[in-house]
Amino acid sequence: MVYEDSDGDQGGLRARTGHSTVEGNGHLHQEPSYENRQKDGDQYDKEKKTIGRTPDGTVFTVPQTHDMVSQLLSPSQPKNLSDFLVLAVLGLHILTIIFLPASLRRPVFAAIFLFWRGCYNGGIGYLLHVQSHHRRLVTWAKKSRIFVNPATGQNPHPNLYRLIKREMETKIPKDYKFEDAPIEYNTWLVFRRVVDLILMCDFVSYCLFAMACGRQPVQESVAMMMARWAAGLALFGFNIWVKLDAHRVVKDFAWYWGDFFYLIDQELTFDGVFEMAPHPMYSVGYAGYYGISLMAASYSVLMISLVAHAAQFGFLYFVENPHIDKTYNPPPARPRTAVQSKRESSSSEDDENRWCPNDTPEPRLASTVQPSPVHKLIGLKSTDLRRVTDVSVLLLQLYLSAIAILTPTTPFFQGLFIAHAVIWRLWLSAGLGIVLRRQSRKKSWTRHYLKVGESTEEAWRQWKGMYHLSLTMCYASFVAAAWKMYSLPADWNSGLALLKHIVGGMLVSLQIWTAVSIYTSLGEFGWFFGDFFFQQAPKLTYGGIYRYLNNPERVIGSAGVWGAFLITGSPAIFGLALFSHILTLCFIDFVERPHMQKLYGKSLRQEAGLVRSLKRSLPPPLKQWQGSVDKVLGETVDLVEEFLDSARPKFASGMVSLVKDTKTLFRQYPARITLTRLAPDLAGYDPQDYSLEIDREGSAGMGITERSSGREGQIGQSPPERRTEYKSLVFEYGAPIKVRWSAPLSHSKKDWVGLYMVADNASREVTRVASAGRWIATTPSYDSVDASRGLIRSNVFVSGADRKDGDDKDYYTGEMVFEGDKLWWTQGVFEFRYHHDGKHNVMAISLPFEIRIPRFDEDHAELDADGSMRGAVEKALLPVVRNCFDRDPDIAPNTIDEAYGAVVERDGKFAKRVVFAVHQMFGVEFAPEVVKADGNVRNLAWRICNAKRVLEPYSMSRAQDRSSPNSPASS
């Protein structure tokens, strides 16, 4: 169950214009409306044409296309040369297995299948990745001009043009004209022919490998054989239905990743298989692999199926999901209304309150309706060894692991570990269930902390610590008990030993995935039952894993304990798993469900997407019987609940979960240039003809006078004597830097300029360290869009007559600006390097320059009327924050009260830049989450002042010693 979080963020992870979302194979996803269904797909296509839009705004009618199986195998579909090529390759696979010796079939077809799987997940994944981030496929098509009509005289490959034109128009005889279609659409058509070849060969080679590995197990009974084949055929049939139903919904556009090339103006109703499981094309859509493994009765087929399935999830994680988030889930617009806050004045001007008076209002991170979003508990990155909960969890895990490993495996210790696991499970489900019941009815937990003078936030923190410790110990004790009961099989090939371990491992992985999905959907607030402690009235919505299941914990949330039973084969673990599962169900029914009904009543959804899909697929007699059973069960549950309410049971209401259906955009790492590529054609190029000049306009004009710290000798403390007019270049942290270059008229179009630390390169002739994305091409000739990002002017002709350096050669000049991700986000001394022809030969090096974050000068800061420095801190902080946010008008604040843009919350790099700058400026270190939670410069400035005021008594040198992290020195 998913509902709006406490700060009102209701946007779903896959939300887009028109309430559409994305699912599965990069598919457009429209939240299903069960009252208003669309018309039958074929009739709908006849009534309305699909309209496509390219990134440059071109609108066109999308012609109707057909699935790969129909267009390849159906006699009614027109055939072209590429179809016959695909069929010939498939036939070659079949001939290979026929004529290949039996001893070579398994290794050869294993290699063939892995090759095609690599082409699928690696090859297609790479093409889609570069198309998504750099539009490189379309750029290649434009540069090669293969889609330009030869009649214009601009197509260098007229024969290839005619071949592609004939191939495409043969496949699409209606509503399509090759020369009139947008280049994005034609590129997609060529791309999908490559996809047809790879996907068909991938599936056929897998089936042939399964045939090569198929066998009849020794001493297998007829009943077992029939059961094995029946289960295998059922899984394979289910797989076919999943693929067909998915194609019915998403059509060819999403099946072939069309939204990587263009978008369509069409809303789709996502029902059927898309209500059964997340990403059905890649999750339940691979059930056929395991069905074929059953029919083949081969562990080799099962293992290669697991590898292929894992590779497909990797394809989803690294390729499709980032594109889905980027395309359909742009961050919401930043609120432009400034939050005005009146600063209270104070007559106190004593030195203790010079940072901020004691009565200055605090920008609170927590309130009575929501907890603080900072300092989370879940995840390795959130582990804090200065927090007692984390230390306790770590020490208890170490103690339990040591005892489990060091004690002998005797019946006494086995029984002891089983009892230990039972006690922790009882405490987690029953003990904490009682605590939640009392909190739900009487707020007893919160009342206790208020009674002793603490706050609701403190009650929440203590509850989180207790629940986190109990949950980790519950599962740690279960794992320890399973360890004690486990023994390695004497023979892995006998019986079902290996199969049990594989299936058991899959069940454990399923529970881990379920837990991660639940936490991703609910967030820390919902994971720790936050609605028991904070009063709010969120609106129910359903997304993430809760779109398919109302309570994932009921079945798949406990899959891991049954996986442990399969791996150990121990009756004691079976009993422990059954006991754990029963208590989990009791917790849901007697704690969570009553509390949800108490808060939401009839607005609760009765049936999840999976249940609806299964019910719709039942025959009419079974539907009627199922309705009768539901009625009896409903009346029985009502009777039991009435009895329990009258008897005042010890188990009570439980949990309603707050869900944010959002994901962190995976950070997109910049492209890298290959190391040390040397050009063989340097002859004729004189480095003296190249130059780089840094624009001093953005230089901060500081540095020389600030270098004296008082720790030098008498001579060293005086400013250095200048014998030239040269002035040191010092830029602010994050400030854009403009660079002008000049090169001879014959310079390569592949030349580029990179930004490096001076100390990173020992050679002045060759760069031997990667640029890590901090480079810009001198001309827009690279396929990557990022290569030209920052390029202002390129190849501006300058006559030799206009030169002032005494030379008379004509040359080209250009200008570029390094900003954002193309900068180094640290302090140091840097230089620009001009490189030749896409290689690493250095033709010119700029003067070195420094990036510095100036220390805040508290001794000379202008004080406010109340005697505090908060105004000065705000004034110093605002330009730094703007630089950290790339001066982007969508996220960078213009005033101290203006809220940060939503991207700051989603992309953690911005907050990390700010905390680094704050640490260098003020000597105060914050977590990135504090910057996100404060939300504007005014609140962050208050937090800095408050931290300085609190830490100032511990500073030994106050403002006199520059080395003190708490008291920056004056210049």
Side-chain angles (χ1 to χ4, degrees):
M1 179 205 57
V2 179
Y3 55 90
E4 185 182 10
D5 63 5
S6 55
D7 61 3
D9 182 9
Q10 182 173 348
L13 170 67
R14 301 186 182 279
R16 71 180 185 98
T17 303
H19 308 291
S20 296
T21 57
V22 180
E23 188 63 282
N25 194 11
H27 310 316
L28 294 175
H29 185 129
Q30 171 72 22
E31 291 296 334
S33 171
Y34 303 102
E35 294 79 10
N36 301 309
R37 291 294 184 187
Q38 288 181 338
K39 299 179 180 180
D40 179 77
D42 295 336
Q43 181 181 355
Y44 181 79
D45 291 337
K46 294 177 181 178
E47 294 178 354
K48 184 179 179 180
K49 297 290 186 180
T50 301
I51 303 300
R53 294 180 183 271
T54 64
D56 62 3
T58 302
V59 179
F60 67 101
T61 300
V62 180
Q64 184 179 8
T65 55
H66 300 277
D67 63 275
M68 72 172 74
V69 178
S70 297
Q71 65 185 10
L72 280 175
L73 304 179
S74 175
S76 62
Q77 295 294 327
K79 301 293 184 290
N80 59 10
L81 180 61
S82 59
D83 289 332
F84 291 115
L85 176 62
V86 173
L87 293 173
V89 174
L90 297 180
L92 184 61
H93 283 70
I94 297 174
L95 291 176
T96 302
I97 197 172
I98 293 175
F99 293 104
L100 200 66
S103 59
L104 296 178
R105 290 175 182 172
R106 294 179 62 179
V108 168
F109 272 91
I112 292 175
F113 170 70
L114 292 176
F115 167 77
W116 287 115
R117 176 54 54 164
C119 291
Y120 181 4
N121 298 133
I124 295 178
Y126 170 76
L127 292 178
L128 290 175
H129 175 79
V130 297
Q131 171 63 18
S132 174
H133 294 286
H134 313 296
R135 308 203 62 80
R136 190 165 291 173
L137 297 185
V138 176
T139 303
W140 284 341
K142 290 179 179 178
K143 290 183 62 178
S144 63
R145 293 176 288 180
I146 59 174
F147 297 135
V148 177
N149 195 327
T152 63
Q154 299 179 0
N155 190 331
H157 312 286
N159 293 329
L160 180 59
Y161 173 87
R162 285 188 286 270
L163 173 63
I164 297 176
K165 173 180 169 64
R166 184 173 60 252
E167 291 288 301
M168 298 301 105
E169 291 185 346
T170 301
K171 298 302 296 181
I172 313 175
K174 298 180 181 180
D175 300 330
Y176 174 70
K177 194 173 182 180
F178 180 74
E179 53 268 24
D180 294 339
I183 190 172
E184 289 83 2
Y185 186 74
N186 285 334
T187 305
W188 175 67
L189 289 180
V190 175
F191 168 76
R192 62 177 283 170
R193 299 309 291 162
V194 177
V195 172
D196 285 343
L197 173 64
I198 294 176
L199 264 61
M200 291 299 294
C201 291
D202 174 79
F203 177 71
V204 170
S205 61
Y206 173 82
C207 292
L208 294 176
F209 173 73
M211 292 174 58
C213 297
R215 65 186 183 89
Q216 175 73 30
V218 181
Q219 298 180 347
E220 183 183 41
S221 64
V222 176
M224 179 61 72
M225 181 188 67
M226 294 178 63
R228 177 169 58 84
W229 274 87
L233 289 172
L235 289 174
F236 186 74
F238 175 72
N239 194 150
I240 294 176
W241 174 80
V242 168
K243 299 292 186 182
L244 293 177
D245 196 59
H247 189 271
R248 172 188 65 82
V249 174
V250 302
K251 307 296 189 299
D252 277 4
F253 169 74
W255 187 278
Y256 286 100
W257 302 281
D259 56 357
F260 282 73
F261 299 83
Y262 64 95
L263 298 178
I264 60 173
D265 294 344
Q266 180 178 347
E267 292 185 352
L268 303 177
T269 298
F270 274 71
D271 54 7
V273 68
F274 285 93
E275 292 182 321
M276 296 184 64
H279 309 292
M281 296 287 292
Y282 298 157
S283 54
V284 295
Y286 270 68
Y289 271 34
Y290 303 105
I292 292 176
S293 301
L294 272 177
M295 292 185 283
S298 169
Y299 284 118
S300 299
V301 180
L302 179 59
M303 290 298 183
I304 211 167
S305 300
L306 291 171
V307 171
H309 203 173
Q312 196 64 27
F313 278 122
F315 178 85
L316 172 70
Y317 183 85
F318 292 106
V319 178
E320 290 201 8
N321 279 346
H323 177 77
I324 288 169
D325 291 333
K326 182 180 73 171
T327 304
Y328 301 112
N329 300 317
R334 177 179 58 180
R336 289 293 180 181
T337 304
V339 180
Q340 301 296 334
S341 60
K342 184 176 180 181
R343 199 180 304 167
E344 297 183 7
S345 61
S346 172
S347 58
S348 174
E349 297 185 6
D350 60 0
D351 192 61
E352 181 183 358
N353 295 332
R354 65 195 186 118
W355 284 101
C356 58
N358 291 326
D359 58 354
T360 302
E362 173 186 358
R364 299 188 59 81
L365 299 179
S367 66
T368 58
V369 296
Q370 71 173 18
S372 169
V374 184
H375 215 195
K376 297 180 179 180
L377 266 176
I378 304 299
L380 292 176
K381 292 184 178 180
S382 300
T383 302
D384 186 352
L385 295 183
R386 297 177 180 85
R387 183 167 48 192
V388 64
T389 301
D390 293 349
V391 175
S392 301
V393 168
L394 179 61
L395 293 178
L396 285 173
Q397 302 299 315
L398 292 175
Y399 124 81
L400 186 59
S401 301
I403 294 178
I405 294 173
L406 298 177
T407 55
T409 306
T410 61
F412 171 75
F413 281 102
Q414 288 177 335
L416 191 63
F417 273 89
I418 293 292
H420 183 241
V422 168
I423 292 172
W424 274 111
R425 170 56 67 174
L426 277 172
W427 166 247
L428 178 68
S429 299
L432 295 188
I434 295 174
V435 172
L436 283 177
R437 171 190 181 275
R438 294 175 59 84
Q439 173 66 12
S440 176
R441 287 193 172 185
K442 302 178 180 180
K443 299 293 180 185
S444 58
W445 184 275
T446 303
R447 287 177 181 273
H448 169 76
Y449 282 91
L450 294 177
K451 182 177 67 175
V452 296
E454 300 289 353
S455 63
T456 303
E457 177 71 12
E458 178 63 19
W460 165 248
R461 281 196 295 265
Q462 295 297 330
W463 160 255
K464 285 203 307 180
M466 176 178 288
Y467 183 80
H468 182 60
L469 177 64
S470 302
L471 183 66
T472 54
M473 285 304 299
C474 176
Y475 281 99
S477 62
F478 188 97
V479 171
W483 169 267
K484 277 299 179 184
M485 304 304 297
Y486 176 74
S487 59
L488 286 173
D491 184 5
W492 287 92
N493 296 320
S494 65
L496 301 175
L498 183 57
L499 180 62
K500 289 180 178 179
H501 280 73
I502 294 174
V503 176
M506 293 174 66
L507 290 176
V508 172
S509 301
L510 177 61
Q511 178 166 345
I512 294 174
W513 172 83
T514 302
V516 172
S517 299
I518 291 173
Y519 181 77
T520 301
S521 295
L522 300 180
E524 192 131 330
F525 182 93
W527 182 268
F528 289 108
F529 312 96
D531 53 347
F532 284 83
F533 300 86
F534 296 91
Q535 300 294 329
Q536 55 178 304
K539 179 182 178 181
L540 274 171
T541 58
Y542 293 91
I545 192 173
Y546 289 92
R547 179 170 181 247
Y548 315 97
L549 299 169
N550 282 342
N551 292 107
E553 302 94 334
R554 281 188 179 275
V555 181
I556 60 176
S558 298
V561 297
W562 296 107
F565 160 66
L566 285 178
I567 293 174
T568 60
S570 168
I573 297 299
F574 172 82
L576 184 58
L578 181 62
F579 179 71
S580 300
H581 203 158
I582 290 174
L583 284 184
T584 299
L585 295 177
C586 290
F587 186 88
I588 293 172
D589 288 333
F590 296 105
V591 178
E592 293 187 22
R593 185 166 173 263
H595 188 70
M596 290 162 61
Q597 290 177 338
K598 172 185 174 182
L599 291 184
Y600 299 103
K602 295 182 179 180
S603 63
L604 281 176
R605 183 180 66 178
Q606 298 301 316
E607 295 177 348
L610 176 61
V611 176
R612 283 196 300 266
S613 298
L614 294 176
K615 284 186 176 182
R616 282 198 298 268
S617 63
L618 292 176
L622 287 180
K623 288 183 180 180
Q624 184 178 3
W625 177 81
Q626 186 263 343
S628 301
V629 173
D630 284 349
K631 181 178 179 181
V632 172
L633 290 177
E635 293 175 351
T636 303
V637 170
D638 291 340
L639 180 63
V640 172
E641 287 183 349
E642 184 179 354
F643 170 77
L644 292 176
D645 288 340
S646 61
R648 300 182 62 81
K650 292 185 178 181
F651 297 101
S653 49
M655 163 187 170
V656 148
S657 304
L658 167 69
V659 175
K660 292 169 61 177
D661 199 349
T662 55
K663 293 183 179 178
T664 305
L665 290 176
F666 296 102
R667 296 187 61 185
Q668 302 170 0
Y669 292 94
R672 295 177 180 268
I673 297 178
T674 307
L675 291 180
T676 319
R677 295 171 56 197
L678 303 180
D681 58 344
L682 285 176
Y685 291 98
D686 186 358
Q688 298 296 326
D689 296 335
Y690 296 80
S691 69
L692 285 173
E693 181 182 357
I694 300 175
D695 190 347
R696 291 179 173 271
E697 181 181 352
S699 178
M702 59 182 180
I704 296 179
T705 58
E706 294 182 359
R707 291 174 184 171
S708 176
S709 63
R711 295 187 293 270
E712 300 85 358
Q714 183 176 1
I715 298 177
Q717 294 182 19
S718 59
E721 181 182 353
R722 287 287 184 189
R723 295 182 174 88
T724 66
E725 295 181 357
Y726 171 77
K727 295 182 180 180
S728 300
L729 283 171
V730 182
F731 289 90
E732 296 178 355
Y733 177 71
I737 305 174
K738 286 186 179 181
V739 184
R740 286 185 292 271
W741 59 267
S742 63
L745 300 182
S746 59
H747 82 97
S748 172
K749 294 182 179 180
K750 294 285 187 178
D751 289 356
W752 57 280
V753 178
L755 174 60
Y756 300 89
M757 278 191 168
V758 171
D760 283 349
N761 286 289
S763 172
R764 310 296 284 178
E765 289 79 26
V766 178
T767 299
R768 301 185 181 277
V769 64
S771 63
R774 303 178 186 94
W775 66 282
I776 300 175
T778 57
T779 62
S781 57
Y782 280 85
D783 297 329
S784 172
V785 178
D786 287 338
S788 302
R789 185 173 290 119
L791 188 61
I792 301 175
R793 294 185 301 153
S794 175
N795 279 2
V796 178
F797 178 80
V798 179
S799 173
D802 298 332
R803 301 185 67 155
K804 300 179 180 179
D805 56 359
D807 201 342
D808 58 354
K809 293 181 181 179
D810 300 337
Y811 66 95
Y812 281 139
T813 185
E815 191 173 13
M816 57 186 63
V817 59
F818 284 76
E819 58 186 352
D821 290 335
K822 294 185 182 291
L823 291 173
W824 284 82
W825 289 94
T826 186
Q827 299 187 96
V829 181
F830 305 88
E831 65 186 6
F832 291 102
R833 291 184 164 218
Y834 187 111
H835 300 87
H836 170 70
D837 193 30
K839 309 300 190 299
H840 283 72
N841 301 93
V842 179
M843 309 304 291
I845 300 178
S846 73
L847 292 173
F849 62 93
E850 184 178 2
I851 293 178
R852 169 180 289 195
I853 304 174
R855 303 283 285 188
F856 180 75
D857 187 1
E858 61 186 80
D859 288 340
H860 297 86
E862 183 179 353
L863 301 180
D864 297 342
D866 57 8
S868 71
M869 296 184 185
R870 183 172 175 182
V873 172
E874 293 170 347
K875 183 178 179 180
L877 195 59
L878 179 60
V880 175
V881 171
R882 285 182 50 78
N883 285 345
C884 291
F885 294 168
D886 296 339
R887 302 187 182 180
D888 187 339
D890 292 330
I891 60 175
N894 294 312
T895 66
I896 60 174
D897 291 311
E898 189 172 12
Y900 305 149
V903 177
V904 177
E905 179 69 25
R906 298 174 61 174
D907 196 338
K909 68 182 180 183
F910 297 107
K912 291 178 181 178
R913 295 173 183 177
V914 173
V915 297
F916 177 79
V918 168
H919 189 205
Q920 302 302 315
M921 290 178 68
F922 302 98
V924 177
E925 190 172 4
F926 293 122
E929 289 76 14
V930 172
V931 176
K932 299 177 184 179
D934 279 337
N936 60 35
V937 174
R938 183 182 292 278
N939 291 342
L940 181 60
W942 180 93
R943 201 160 304 282
I944 293 171
C945 293
N946 185 64
K948 293 291 291 185
R949 181 175 61 83
V950 172
L951 295 174
E952 196 165 24
Y954 303 99
S955 175
M956 298 179 62
S957 57
R958 299 296 296 267
Q960 299 302 319
D961 186 359
R962 287 178 57 89
S963 65
S964 171
N966 297 323
S967 299
S970 61
S971 57

